[in-house]
Amino acid sequence: VVMVAWRPGEQGGVAISQALAGQAEPTGRLAQGWPQNVGQVNAAASPWLQLVRGKWLANGRGTTVDPDGRRYDDYVDGPSTPLFPFGFGLTFTKFEYSDLSVSTKPSPLALEVELTVTNTGGGDGTDVIQVYVQDPVTDWVPYWKRLVAFKKIFLEKGDKARYTIPVLEDDLAVYDNNMKLRVIPGTYVIRVGDSSITDTVTATLTI
């Protein structure tokens, strides 16, 4: 059991005991990745120390291959996967994602993400659906993957439901070389999961 409770306030003890006893469900998610050791810090260009491992080897001779076919070497003093990734959090049940669809929408929206979520575990529970994007190829280096939207949901045991998650134009936009905030035209990879390293369902969309 891992419990994070920074400055929980006067009723923090009650809240912590209820969560540990199963009387209340913890629904928070990590706002940063946790490295396994101090030697991992800045081991990768990724801001979350996620699936991009170690240093990118331009000669393609690395031992680790990411989902996009790029090769990396693990950090010299240990693995570069995080102890807990950005967006990580546990519940008392399990959820499955399926039937992802993504469509473009007029401003101020940019995208609309739809998917089906099923509670496949042994009890009722809350989940946080997290939508990440990989930006198109540009003339500057973007983040490998970034969070653009999320939605907290509740499902009873065995239930499933269809959810729609809007992605605002301002959330999809990035600053270009001229420091102008804009949506970059090109092909985006939409990755939906329950943390920054669990791409349960993916889709591509050209804008």
Side-chain angles (χ1 to χ4, degrees):
V1 176
V2 177
M3 175 67 70
V4 178
W6 290 320
R7 297 185 179 180
E10 293 181 357
Q11 292 298 310
V14 176
I16 292 171
S17 64
Q18 289 178 343
L20 293 176
Q23 299 173 354
E25 182 184 18
T27 60
R29 299 294 182 265
L30 285 181
Q32 71 284 317
W34 282 24
Q36 296 192 39
N37 54 63
V38 69
Q40 275 192 335
V41 177
N42 293 327
S46 168
W48 298 322
L49 284 177
Q50 49 185 5
L51 194 57
V52 180
R53 301 182 176 191
K55 297 179 179 179
W56 183 15
L57 296 186
N59 58 17
R61 289 163 51 189
T63 57
T64 301
V65 182
D66 75 5
D68 297 312
R70 296 173 296 188
R71 290 182 175 272
Y72 295 80
D73 265 348
D74 283 338
Y75 186 65
V76 292
D77 289 332
S80 53
T81 51
L83 181 63
F84 302 110
F86 175 90
F88 175 81
L90 297 176
T91 67
F92 294 134
T93 186
K94 295 181 180 180
F95 296 91
E96 288 187 0
Y97 299 167
S98 60
D99 302 326
L100 175 67
S101 66
V102 183
S103 58
T104 57
K105 294 296 176 181
S107 183
L109 294 180
L111 307 176
E112 196 169 77
V113 178
E114 293 186 67
L115 74 157
T116 300
V117 182
T118 306
N119 184 342
T120 60
D124 303 344
T126 301
D127 191 26
V128 180
I129 308 169
Q130 302 172 35
V131 181
Y132 296 85
V133 299
Q134 273 183 270
D135 296 306
V137 176
T138 64
D139 53 358
W140 67 90
V141 180
Y143 285 130
W144 182 75
K145 180 169 58 175
R146 57 193 176 96
L147 179 70
V148 294
F150 62 90
K151 188 180 186 70
K152 182 176 285 189
I153 65 168
F154 175 83
L155 281 175
E156 295 182 351
K157 175 183 176 181
D159 282 356
K160 69 177 180 179
R162 187 83 175 161
Y163 294 97
T164 300
I165 305 174
V167 178
L168 296 176
E169 191 174 53
D170 285 349
D171 292 330
L172 190 63
V174 295
Y175 284 98
D176 62 16
N177 285 338
N178 298 315
M179 295 306 293
K180 181 180 179 181
L181 187 65
R182 64 188 180 96
V183 175
I184 305 301
T187 300
Y188 288 79
V189 180
I190 314 300
R191 302 179 181 272
V192 183
D194 58 8
S195 80
S196 61
I197 64 170
T198 52
D199 301 331
T200 307
V201 287
T202 63
T204 58
L205 184 71
T206 300
I207 299 178

